[in-house]
Amino acid sequence: MREQEIAESVQRALDEDLKGDSGVQCDITAQLIAQNKQAKAVVITRDDAVFCGQAWTIEVFKQLGNDVKITWHVKDGDFVPANSPLFTLQGSARSMLTGERTALNFIQTLSAISTQVKAYMDLIATTQCKLLDTRKTLPGLRNASKYAVLCGGGHNHRIGLFDAYLIKENHILACGGIKEAINMANTHHPELWVEVEVETLDELRQALDAGAQRIMLDNFTIEMMQQAVSLNKAHSNVADLEVSGNVSKKTILAFAQTGVDYISVGALTKHIQAVDLSMRFVDNDE
């Protein structure tokens, strides 16, 4: 993640609370507290979680005046049992309360993704199959979500529409066929890898014949996946095979055991439940 991108996303989030003013003066409730009041607070997780969001938290308090010190008890990618402390804050009580929700919003969302990824990864740990994310992310948090996937032990698919080809059904129809679409892709950007989505074994053969580097098996049955793996191994152009569609925690192991290389799961970034977090002021002597 680029520091500038993190700073920009934090700024937008703070603007939502502070009416576009990066100072704490727009937090009218925090104004009830004396300006020089110092405090200490601990943030804990109420859920088992894989933590993610350290850089965003640091940036929140940096933008609010850098008058809050953060002591970390975890780092991104750490598994944290429920009721464990994540970090301690010490400094301006006003800044602490103003930044609380923004910081926790980032952590609860990114940690939810990392936690979800780990749950899926644990299910296929006995296989060589790699778990991929998708572009089904919250608007404005694409790269943050992709980073959270890595923290959970998963792998990133393409970042956007610019860094790799994913030729799907409508692209194929508009281009006039699988071979035609792949040929055009190789002509336009030969330096980028080309993936093609197929819905039948015949389309798989066409994609292999046309030189696709990765082939997405869309909504294939387990039997079709097994046949696809065999066809691919026997072909002169061996491609990476990726499974997509109907993937759940109940089905993913059986899919992975067919011998496919990748499984992509939109649920990693869109079917998540925020991690339950809590911030409490404590005695400065604790």
Side-chain angles (χ1 to χ4, degrees), residues 48-176:
D48 290 349
V50 176
F51 177 77
C52 183
Q54 188 175 95
W56 289 264
T57 303
I58 292 170
E59 185 63 28
V60 166
F61 293 104
K62 176 182 176 183
Q63 292 193 20
L64 288 174
N66 227 9
D67 51 7
V68 173
K69 177 187 175 183
I70 307 175
T71 301
W72 292 99
H73 308 303
V74 297
K75 62 183 183 298
D76 288 352
D78 283 352
F79 173 77
V80 189
N83 300 313
S84 298
L86 302 177
F87 54 94
T88 301
L89 302 171
Q90 192 152 11
S92 167
R94 284 188 179 184
S95 293
M96 219 174 282
L97 291 168
T98 298
E100 173 188 1
R101 178 42 49 201
T102 299
L104 297 194
N105 280 350
F106 280 111
I107 295 171
Q108 72 183 20
T109 302
L110 299 181
S111 296
I113 293 172
S114 296
T115 304
Q116 174 91 303
V117 171
K118 183 182 185 301
Y120 273 87
M121 286 292 298
D122 286 347
L123 293 172
I124 61 171
T126 57
T127 75
Q128 297 299 309
C129 188
K130 294 182 179 180
L131 182 67
L132 297 175
D133 54 25
T134 70
R135 289 171 45 243
K136 297 173 182 177
T137 55
L138 288 172
L141 286 179
R142 169 69 53 74
N143 286 336
S145 298
K146 295 273 188 178
Y147 171 73
V149 168
L150 298 179
C151 288
H155 300 266
N156 293 152
H157 204 283
R158 60 178 181 161
I159 302 300
L161 300 175
F162 58 89
D163 58 326
Y165 284 101
L166 178 48
I167 301 170
K168 306 187 82 170
E169 178 186 14
N170 289 328
H171 300 104
I172 293 168
L173 288 172
C175 290

